Amino acid sequence: MTGYEKYTPFVPQPIENRTWPDKTITKAPTWVSVDLRDGNQALIDPMSMDEKLAMFHLLVDEIGVKEVEIGFPSASDTDYEICRELIEGGHIPEDVTIQVLVQARPHLIRRTFEAIRGAKNVIFHFYNSTSTLQREVVFHTDVEGVKKIATDAADLIYEMAQDVDPEMNLRFEYSPESFMGTEMDVAAEICAAVLDHLHADEEHKVILNLPTTVENCLPNQFADELEYFLRRLPGRERAVISLHAHNDRGTGVATTEMGLLAGAERVEACLFGNGERTGNVDLITLAMNMYVQGVDPELDFSNMERIISLYERATKMQVPARQPYAGDLVFTAFSGSHQDAINKGFQYMEDQDGEQWMVPYLPINPEDLGRSYEPVRINSQSGKGGAAFIMHHKFGFDMPKAMHAEFGAVVQEESDREGVEIKPETLYRLFEDTYLKVDGPYRLIRNKLNANVENGVARSHFYGKLRHKDTVFEVEGDGNGPIDAFFNAIHEERMNRFTFIDYKEHAISQGSDSQAVAYVQLRMQDGRDVFGVGIDHNISMASIKAVICAINRGRQIEEAAEKAG
Ligand code: KIV
Ligand code: ZN
C-alpha cells in the first residue's frame, strides 16, 4: 500500500442521546499555559532562563493566567533550575499555581518532589500513555499493565505528598496520554483507578487531563468520546476535567470548544498555538472566540503587539500573518466590496451611536487587541472605496463620494502597473501628484480676493493674473461667492469651457497646521467630470485653487485626447 490505503480510519465511539451539541459556552474554563513545557520542548532553540522568566511574567502578570506548567524538572537540568528560580526568586504571585510534569516513574517522581520545595501552590502532573497503539508498539503491555503504571505512580505520589510542607497547596493531575486513541471504557477504568489511588473526593478533586496528544478524529467525534467517557467514569464529581488538544488536523480549537460543550472545565494551551509538531491548541484563539461571543474569557489580550514581540523574541518563532486575532493581515480587507462594507459598518455605528459591534468583515474591534485600526489595504482587487477610506482616515482628506471613482482609477492603474500592494504613503503620493501638484497649463501668478456682505448679500470680488504657457493675462470679476466670482472673471477666457457641478470643503490639519481643503467637480465639454483639489489657510482661496486644479486637469485630459487624435 503506497497511499491513503495504509491509514486506518478512526472508529467513532457509539453514543446514544448525546447532549453536548445543544450546549453553548457561557463561562471561561480554567486556563493553563503549557508554553514553558509543551511549547518550550518543541522549540528548535529552547528558551533561556531569562526568556522563560519573561514568558512566565507575561503569562501571569499581563495576560492573567493562573495556572502555568513550568516544565519537566526531572527530565532536564534547565527545567529544574527554572523551577527553583521561580520559587526562590519570588516570581510566583500568591494566586498563581505552578504545574510540573513528570512521567509515571518512581525516580522521576522523587526528583520532581525535590524541585517543588518551598512553592505555595503546585499541581503535580503525572502521565503515562494508555492508547492501543502505544500499548502495542511502545510498551508491549496490556490494559492492566498501563493501569498498574498509573496506579503505582499515584500511590507513590500520594505517599510522598503526605510529607510535603503542610503550607503547600498541592494538587494532583493525571494525563492518560493519547486519551483520544484509547478505548473510552479503558480510559474511564484507568482514570477511575487513579482517582481511587489518589484518594480523590469532592473536597480534594484530582485533575484528569484528557489529551488529544495527536489529533485523529473530527472534533464532534472527540466530543462524543468525552461525553461517553464522563458517563462511564465512576465518581465524576471527584475530578476536574481538563483538555489538552494538539492540532495535527488543524482542528485543535474546535476539538477544545466541543470538548468544553461535552463537559470539560479546564484547558491547557499555548500562545499562538506553539507546541509539538503542529502545536498545542492556541490559547488566544480560544479566549478571543469566547470574547466575540460576549463571554468574558478572563484573560487580557489587549496588548497584542507586546505579546507578539515578547513571544517572538523568546521562542524565535513567528506569528503568521493570518493568525486569528493576532496576524499582521487579519484586520485588513483587500477586496473593494469588503472595504465598502467596513466603511458602512463604522458609519452605521457612528450614526446609531451604538455600542454593539456591527462592522461586517471585522469580527472584533482591533482596538480590543491594542491594534490601531489599519482599515483597508489596497491591491489590484481593491475598489475605489478603500483608497478613499485610507485618504480619509489616515490623511484626513474626506473626498466627495463622486470623486472616489476618479481617484480609485488612478490607484488601480498604479496597482496594476506595479503588481504589489499600494502602501498608504504611495497612496498619498498618488493623491499629491494627481491633485496637489498639478502645475499648468494655467498658473495663478497673483490674485486678490475680497469677500464681504452688502445689504445682507454675500459678495466676492476676484482679481487674478494668470499665465497660460507663454501668455500672461489678467482677469477680474464679481460673484456671490469666490467660485462664482472666479468663473465670472474668466468668462471671456478660453479656460472657461467647464461647467461647475459641485463643491465640498472641510478643515484639515497637517502637523500642527490647520488648513482648509476644497474639492471641486467640473463637467467637461464631452460630458465627463473632472475633479480638482485646493489647500489653503483661507477657505475661499482653497476653493479657487481647487477650480484651477480641476480646469488644469480637464485641459490635460483634453490635450491628451487631442494628441491621441
Ligand atoms: O500531548 C500530551 O499528551 C502531553 C501530555 C504529557 C499531557 O503533552
Ligand atoms: Zn502535549
Side-chain angles (χ1 to χ4, degrees):
M1 287 190 283
T2 51
Y4 60 85
E5 305 99 324
K6 65 179 167 290
Y7 298 105
T8 316
F10 176 78
V11 181
Q13 171 64 55
I15 180 168
E16 280 179 9
N17 305 321
R18 56 174 73 73
T19 62
W20 67 264
D22 294 329
K23 308 227 166 103
T24 47
I25 297 172
T26 53
K27 144 177 198 312
T30 301
W31 299 112
V32 187
S33 153
V34 290
D35 291 84
L36 294 171
R37 198 278 295 171
D38 223 337
N40 187 55
Q41 81 186 42
L43 295 176
I44 296 171
D45 196 2
M47 288 181 247
S48 66
M49 170 73 90
D50 283 349
E51 287 162 348
K52 278 187 180 170
L53 287 176
M55 180 66 94
F56 180 82
H57 283 292
L58 174 77
L59 289 163
V60 303
D61 302 342
E62 298 187 37
I63 297 175
V65 180
K66 298 291 177 211
E67 296 183 8
V68 181
E69 190 163 88
I70 57 166
F72 217 139
S74 64
S76 100
D77 287 344
T78 48
D79 277 20
Y80 190 91
E81 278 157 26
I82 178 80
C83 184
R84 294 311 310 154
E85 172 58 30
L86 285 168
I87 298 166
E88 288 166 20
H91 295 278
I92 311 167
E94 287 287 297
D95 62 344
V96 169
T97 300
I98 54 165
Q99 176 167 313
V100 282
L101 180 70
V102 62
Q103 279 179 3
R105 296 168 70 186
H107 69 290
L108 300 179
I109 291 171
R110 291 199 184 89
R111 176 88 172 134
T112 307
F113 268 101
E114 278 169 36
I116 59 171
R117 269 171 298 120
K120 182 164 182 283
N121 302 309
V122 180
I123 295 171
F124 199 100
H125 178 190
F126 68 109
Y127 74 96
N128 68 311
S129 192
T130 55
S131 68
T132 42
L133 183 68
Q134 297 244 23
R135 290 199 310 258
E136 182 175 333
V137 175
V138 184
F139 298 106
H140 312 293
T141 186
D142 56 10
V143 170
E144 281 310 312
V146 286
K147 184 159 92 180
K148 185 159 175 359
I149 296 172
T151 52
D152 284 354
D155 288 340
L156 177 61
I157 290 166
Y158 186 77
E159 184 192 316
M160 291 192 71
Q162 306 315 305
D163 294 334
V164 299
D165 183 345
E167 292 292 296
M168 185 189 287
N169 170 20
L170 180 63
R171 288 184 284 150
F172 307 126
E173 170 170 340
Y174 172 66
S175 291
E177 205 218 61
S178 300
F179 166 81
M180 78 305 145
T182 308
E183 309 86 320
M184 286 301 110
D185 290 300
V186 170
E189 181 187 329
I190 296 174
C191 286
V194 167
L195 293 180
D196 293 342
H197 282 251
L198 289 173
H199 304 259
D201 60 28
E202 265 188 86
E203 311 273 84
H204 306 92
K205 292 190 188 213
V206 166
I207 299 161
L208 287 180
N209 186 48
L210 308 173
T212 310
T213 303
V214 180
E215 272 198 319
N216 62 343
C217 64
L218 295 167
N220 61 303
Q221 293 170 331
F222 176 79
D224 278 353
E225 282 192 331
L226 183 55
E227 183 163 345
Y228 179 90
F229 167 87
L230 290 175
R231 286 183 196 173
R232 306 290 296 185
L233 181 72
R236 187 253 178 268
E237 63 293 341
R238 301 179 289 168
V240 172
I241 301 301
S242 177
L243 301 174
H244 176 113
H246 282 265
N247 198 36
D248 300 81
R249 292 168 54 93
T251 54
V253 168
T255 296
T256 306
E257 291 178 332
M258 292 190 189
L260 289 172
L261 299 181
E265 48 217 324
R266 182 180 187 271
V267 170
E268 298 190 347
C270 281
L271 294 179
F272 305 110
N274 187 31
E276 288 283 12
R277 305 179 310 282
T278 49
N280 286 74
V281 67
D282 174 23
L283 178 66
I284 300 170
T285 304
L286 286 171
M288 297 316 293
N289 279 359
M290 286 182 196
Y291 185 92
V292 296
Q293 291 295 319
V295 174
D296 180 1
E298 297 168 21
L299 292 178
D300 184 355
F301 290 109
S302 62
N303 196 346
M304 190 55 81
E305 287 303 320
R306 197 182 133 64
I307 295 170
I308 293 172
S309 125
L310 199 147
Y311 166 85
E312 290 190 339
R313 207 158 8 99
T315 61
K316 287 110 199 154
M317 300 285 291
Q318 280 210 322
V319 175
R322 303 217 182 266
Q323 178 78 15
Y325 302 106
D328 212 26
L329 289 180
V330 300
F331 300 122
T332 59
F334 286 95
S335 137
S337 63
H338 292 202
Q339 293 168 354
D340 272 356
I342 290 170
N343 294 353
K344 287 185 178 127
F346 277 112
Q347 196 57 53
Y348 181 83
M349 282 183 65
E350 202 175 304
D351 294 347
Q352 304 284 310
D353 231 347
E355 297 205 341
Q356 252 2 77
W357 185 249
M358 296 192 64
V359 181
Y361 301 108
L362 278 184
I364 185 169
N365 184 348
E367 287 175 11
D368 291 355
L369 297 150
R371 282 277 167 82
S372 56
Y373 181 52
E374 213 191 313
V376 284
R377 289 168 70 166
I378 311 293
N379 65 9
S380 59
Q381 302 302 304
S382 311
K384 52 195 178 352
F389 190 90
I390 293 182
M391 286 310 298
H392 184 190
H393 290 270
K394 198 158 172 74
F395 302 111
F397 288 89
D398 185 10
M399 290 182 257
K401 189 121 186 47
M403 187 177 161
H404 293 189
E406 187 190 84
F407 183 54
V410 173
V411 176
Q412 182 86 41
E413 201 182 306
E414 173 81 0
S415 154
D416 286 342
R417 189 170 43 243
E418 296 298 323
V420 291
E421 180 195 355
I422 304 284
K423 299 273 184 209
E425 301 67 44
T426 311
L427 201 65
Y428 186 80
R429 182 185 48 74
L430 289 173
F431 185 82
E432 222 176 25
D433 290 351
T434 310
Y435 299 109
L436 306 181
K437 287 188 177 167
V438 180
D439 193 24
Y442 293 98
R443 291 174 75 179
L444 188 60
I445 306 171
R446 190 166 331 127
N447 69 279
K448 206 162 159 202
L449 181 68
N450 291 324
N452 50 36
V453 179
E454 283 168 24
N455 301 327
V457 180
R459 299 298 302 164
S460 292
H461 179 81
F462 177 81
Y463 158 81
K465 194 179 208 180
L466 289 128
R467 178 194 292 277
H468 179 257
K469 300 189 177 160
D470 293 336
T471 318
V472 173
F473 58 100
E474 294 183 40
V475 295
E476 195 157 4
D478 292 304
N480 53 19
I483 296 180
D484 193 35
F486 180 81
F487 270 101
N488 288 334
I490 63 166
H491 185 58
E492 300 287 306
E493 304 295 333
R494 259 177 65 81
M495 71 192 288
N496 184 24
R497 49 203 292 165
F498 300 92
T499 315
F500 174 81
I501 301 293
D502 209 356
Y503 164 80
K504 174 177 173 173
E505 68 186 32
H506 62 79
I508 188 169
S509 3
Q510 296 198 313
S512 55
D513 199 15
S514 180
Q515 303 199 73
V517 56
Y519 311 85
V520 165
Q521 179 179 4
L522 302 183
R523 184 147 302 154
M524 294 166 40
Q525 283 176 332
D526 67 2
R528 274 186 293 170
D529 283 358
V530 66
F531 290 83
V533 180
I535 301 182
D536 200 279
H537 285 104
N538 178 305
I539 183 66
S540 302
M541 259 332 283
S543 56
I544 287 178
K545 283 183 179 176
V547 174
I548 295 173
C549 169
I551 290 174
N552 279 332
R553 293 193 61 243
R555 279 302 299 143
Q556 286 174 3
I557 295 166
E558 286 172 351
E559 280 170 15
E562 282 157 19
K563 257 196 210 145

